[in-house]
Each structure stands twice: as structure tokens, then as C-alpha cells.
Amino acid sequence: FEVPILSYSFLNSIRAYRAPTYLPTYRLKNSIPSMSALTSSSAPGYSAGGPSIVEPYKFVLIPHNSSEPIKELTASASGGLTSDSLLAHAKSYFSTLSAPTSHAARLAQIKTAAKAAGATEEQMNAVGDEALLKMAEGQSCEIIALTVPLKPDFHAVSLYAQQDSSAPLNTRAINIARLCGVANDIKGDVFLGRCKDDEVGDVWTRVDFTVADCGEGAQAWCRKTGGGAGGSLS
């Protein structure tokens, strides 16, 4: 297997690792298997008296194959920015696409790369195999800001793509990005999501981004929220 080049942030994560108290979970629809919600009292969105009310939000998956429909997914916004469920899902999805089919082979690949980057055997043993796999997921996702949060709603849209230069071009995602003035050649399957990011009001939360936002509706949100050059989705 090709040994990936791991970033300094990955190496530092191994050195400074602390076991998490929970893992973010999310619920998907449109032929994507559902996952049960996490109900631990240590999870965001929960209190000693029971779960607080956190509305689920929608985001989309745009397959690179234009013959496949755009899928609308839902997830819990309870994790906020710190444990964003969209980012967690994208990392897991892309890591699965690029990983060797064997769990042991993938782990060996990660450990070889970590050693090459300077991690010691003692540090990796302290982290543990499953945590190493989770941490490596972060190396597989590129985030592209399509719009910036502006008044009055402070909404921003971001695209999540696989870091794989060999993946096929995603024409639909490229058209949306260019409508916003972003000229990247986007490859592979991608996710698009929207957040409300009001730094003055100290608010960051996920809000809906739907299939309708990928059609002609993209022209409206792109120009309204600070997108760039305009253009056509065709």
C-alpha cells in the first residue's frame, strides 16, 4: 500500500491524545443506514434532567457520477462547532473510500506513516489502535468555503471533498463552486452544508442545506451570502 504523508497536526494529535468522552452520532436517510442517537449525559445537547431540544439539520451528498441523484441527509446539531457531525461524517466517509479493505492493513499503513513522521511506538500504544484510525480520518477531507457569514442571517456554505487527485471530476459540485467564484477542480463525491456563524453573538450552529439549494436556488444563496462571480449551473 502507498504510505500517506501525515501532517504535523496528526503527529501532534498522537502526542497530545486524550481519550474522548463521547463520539458524535448522526441519522441519515435516503437509503443510508440510520444510526441511533447518543444519549449519554456527557454528550453535547444533554443535561442531567434529560436531552435538551436540538433540531436536526439537513445537508447533501453530491456523487461524482451525475447519473446518481443528490442525496439529502440529516444529523443532530448538538455537537456544535467542536464536534460537528457533518465534518465527522465526511471524514469517516472519505476515509472508508480510500482505506485498504483490511482493517489490519489500514492500521499498519497508518502506523508506518506515523513512525516516518516521528511518532514513537510508546506514543502510538498510548493512543490505541481504534483511536489512531479515527485520528487518521482527519487526513482525508478537504473543506472549501463557498460563501462567508454575512448579516443579517450570518449563514455560510462549505463543501467537503475527498483529498484524492485520482478521483473523477464532480461536474455538479464544480458548477456550484464556480457560481460562488471558486475555481477549484473538485473531484469525487462531496458533501455540502450550511452553518450560522455569528462571532459577535457567539453563535455557531448547523442549519438546513437541501437538495433544492443545489439547483437554481444556488444562485440566490451564493449571491446573497457573499459568493463571487455568478455564472450558470448548466
Side-chain angles (χ1 to χ4, degrees):
F1 301 110
E2 179 182 356
V3 177
I5 299 175
L6 301 182
S7 66
Y8 285 111
S9 63
F10 180 81
L11 179 59
N12 289 335
S13 295
I14 293 177
R15 290 170 173 164
Y17 175 76
R18 296 292 184 273
T21 56
Y22 70 92
L23 292 174
T25 61
Y26 34 81
R27 179 172 58 83
L28 307 180
K29 66 181 184 179
N30 289 2
S31 302
I32 304 296
S34 297
M35 301 183 70
S36 59
L38 185 66
T39 56
S40 167
S41 60
S42 64
Y46 285 83
S47 63
S52 59
I53 298 175
V54 179
E55 293 295 328
Y57 68 93
K58 299 175 182 178
F59 61 105
V60 302
L61 167 64
I62 305 179
H64 71 269
N65 186 344
S66 297
S67 67
E68 296 182 25
I70 297 174
K71 297 180 176 67
E72 192 170 286
L73 317 174
T74 64
S76 170
S78 62
L81 177 60
T82 304
S83 299
D84 178 25
S85 53
L86 195 166
L87 178 58
H89 177 67
K91 287 180 177 180
S92 178
Y93 181 90
F94 295 137
S95 178
T96 300
L97 290 180
S98 61
T101 54
S102 164
H103 181 279
R106 174 59 174 162
L107 186 61
Q109 183 188 57
I110 293 169
K111 286 186 174 182
T112 298
K115 286 180 181 178
T120 66
E121 194 73 34
E122 182 180 5
Q123 289 169 336
M124 287 187 286
N125 288 338
V127 171
D129 292 350
E130 293 304 318
L132 274 174
L133 288 166
K134 287 288 183 183
M135 292 161 64
E137 289 177 359
Q139 301 293 305
S140 61
C141 182
E142 178 183 8
I143 305 174
I144 301 172
L146 299 184
T147 66
V148 295
L150 299 175
K151 294 179 179 180
D153 53 20
F154 296 99
H155 286 179
V157 175
S158 295
L159 182 150
Y160 301 78
Q162 184 181 11
Q163 291 183 331
D164 183 359
S165 60
S166 65
L169 290 172
N170 189 320
T171 304
R172 290 178 293 190
I174 289 172
N175 288 341
I176 292 174
R178 288 181 178 172
L179 191 66
C180 297
V182 177
N184 300 46
D185 280 340
I186 299 165
K187 298 184 176 183
D189 298 347
V190 305
F191 295 91
L192 267 73
R194 177 182 281 121
C195 71
K196 178 176 182 178
D197 185 3
D198 179 0
E199 291 188 6
V200 175
D202 194 24
V203 174
W204 193 99
T205 188
R206 283 290 176 188
V207 292
D208 286 346
F209 187 92
T210 68
V211 171
D213 288 315
C214 298
E216 293 303 318
Q219 300 190 40
W221 62 257
C222 186
R223 290 166 183 161
K224 177 182 178 183
T225 57
S232 172
L233 288 171
S234 59

